């Protein structure tokens, strides 16, 4: 059975954490965002907004985020990303992903400062030429978060098909108040995550990281099939 074009894009997609400085033309970004909005949504509510920044606006947001971290400001998230407490089997996956990332960077497991420095790069959008702040109305139900997730995947696949790389940045929600203030967002927008977008640096070791996916039998039941 031949691999479809859609499968090729899905299997080739990786989270890039090092980008080239090449700018992303506005026409390309608009095309990618239109593809994101084509994702299905219940009752066609089309939840979520995308605030795309480049150049000085992106630099200003990154500086504000790093300033909050350096000042020791407490984190202000508007929703819980991970389950609490984290079940042991999921904690093992989280640790494995982290170890793979830091191993590619040559950061030892006990190197707390090195790991913290790498994590802080989330707030500079990994130096990507485009940073996107993703928001949703706080009154939306859980199903709308699912719909927004499909839109984010459509964004990633569209970008992949155009030769760009992406990385979702859930950590941005930790400083939602900073993003709100910097972008002038209203109370009707809750910060869900960020997204880095640009051309991946092919020479960066961090971009070689490949996390494992569960085998089919671990997450699927098939009944009535021969």
């Amino acid at each position: 059975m031949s691999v479809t074009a859609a499968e090729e894009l899905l299997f080739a997609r990786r989270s890039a954490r090092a980008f080239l400085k090449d700018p992303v033309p506005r026409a390309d970004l608009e095309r990618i965002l239109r593809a994101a909005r084509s994702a299905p949504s219940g009752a066609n509510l089309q939840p979520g907004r995308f605030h795309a920044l480049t150049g000085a606006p992106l630099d200003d947001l990154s500086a504000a985020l790093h300033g909050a971290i350096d000042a020791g400001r407490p984190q202000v998230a508007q929703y819980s990303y991970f389950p609490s407490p984290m079940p042991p089997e999921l904690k093992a996956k989280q640790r494995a992903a982290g170890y793979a990332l830091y191993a590619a960077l040559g950061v030892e497991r006990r190197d707390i400062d090195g790991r913290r420095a790498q994590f802080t790069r989330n707030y500079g959008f990994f130096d990507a030429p485009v940073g996107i702040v993703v928001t949703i109305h706080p009154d939306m139900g859980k199903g709308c978060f699912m719909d927004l997730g499909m839109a984010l995947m459509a964004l990633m696949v569209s970008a992949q098909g155009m030769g760009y790389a992406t990385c979702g940045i859930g950590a941005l929600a930790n400083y939602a108040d900073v993003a709100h203030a910097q972008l002038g967002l209203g109370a009707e927008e809750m910060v869900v995550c960020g997204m880095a977008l640009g051309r991946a640096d092919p020479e960066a070791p961090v971009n070689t990281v490949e996390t494992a996916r569960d085998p089919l039998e671990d997450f699927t039941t098939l009944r009535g099939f021969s």
Side-chain angles (χ1 to χ4, degrees):
M1 182 183 298
S2 61
V3 177
T4 67
E7 287 174 313
E8 287 182 354
L9 291 174
L10 289 166
F11 294 146
R13 190 208 63 79
R14 299 286 182 272
S15 292
R17 293 180 175 86
F19 294 84
L20 301 177
K21 297 297 184 182
D22 302 356
V24 177
R26 176 171 178 156
D28 284 0
L29 184 60
E30 289 181 347
R31 183 177 169 188
I32 289 167
L33 293 172
R34 288 192 185 98
R37 191 76 288 168
S38 74
S41 66
N44 198 33
L45 298 186
Q46 303 175 57
R49 294 179 61 84
F50 302 87
H51 301 275
L53 301 89
T54 194
L58 179 57
D59 292 342
D60 290 346
L61 174 59
S62 297
L65 290 164
H66 282 110
I69 295 169
D70 293 342
R73 284 183 57 178
Q75 296 183 0
V76 181
Q78 295 173 296
Y79 74 103
S80 175
Y81 194 102
F82 295 114
S84 181
M86 181 85 79
E89 66 275 13
L90 299 184
K91 189 66 176 178
K93 289 183 177 182
Q94 183 186 41
R95 285 174 174 162
Y99 292 155
L101 172 62
Y102 296 125
L105 292 165
V107 177
E108 300 292 337
R109 293 189 183 187
R110 297 178 182 272
D111 184 358
I112 303 301
D113 289 340
R115 295 173 67 173
R116 183 181 295 112
Q118 174 60 30
F119 184 77
T120 301
R121 295 193 68 239
N122 280 282
Y123 300 106
F125 292 84
F126 299 107
D127 297 322
V130 173
I132 303 173
V133 176
V134 182
T135 68
I136 195 171
H137 196 291
D139 292 340
M140 290 291 184
K142 293 181 179 179
C144 290
F145 274 81
M146 177 178 68
D147 293 347
L148 178 56
M150 289 189 283
L152 290 171
M153 191 65 200
L155 186 159
M156 291 177 174
V157 172
S158 175
Q160 183 79 21
M162 294 175 63
Y164 294 105
T166 57
C167 185
I169 304 175
L172 182 64
N174 294 338
Y175 291 94
D177 58 328
V178 177
H180 263 263
Q182 193 65 32
L183 301 183
L185 302 179
E188 74 281 2
E189 293 194 68
M190 179 173 72
V191 175
V192 176
C193 67
M195 181 80 69
L197 187 151
R199 303 283 183 191
D201 183 349
E203 304 298 326
V206 71
N207 286 342
T208 66
V209 176
E210 183 175 349
T211 52
R213 292 296 185 264
D214 292 342
L216 184 69
E217 58 271 19
D218 281 7
F219 63 89
T220 305
T221 59
L222 301 172
R223 303 178 183 182
F225 296 89
S226 57

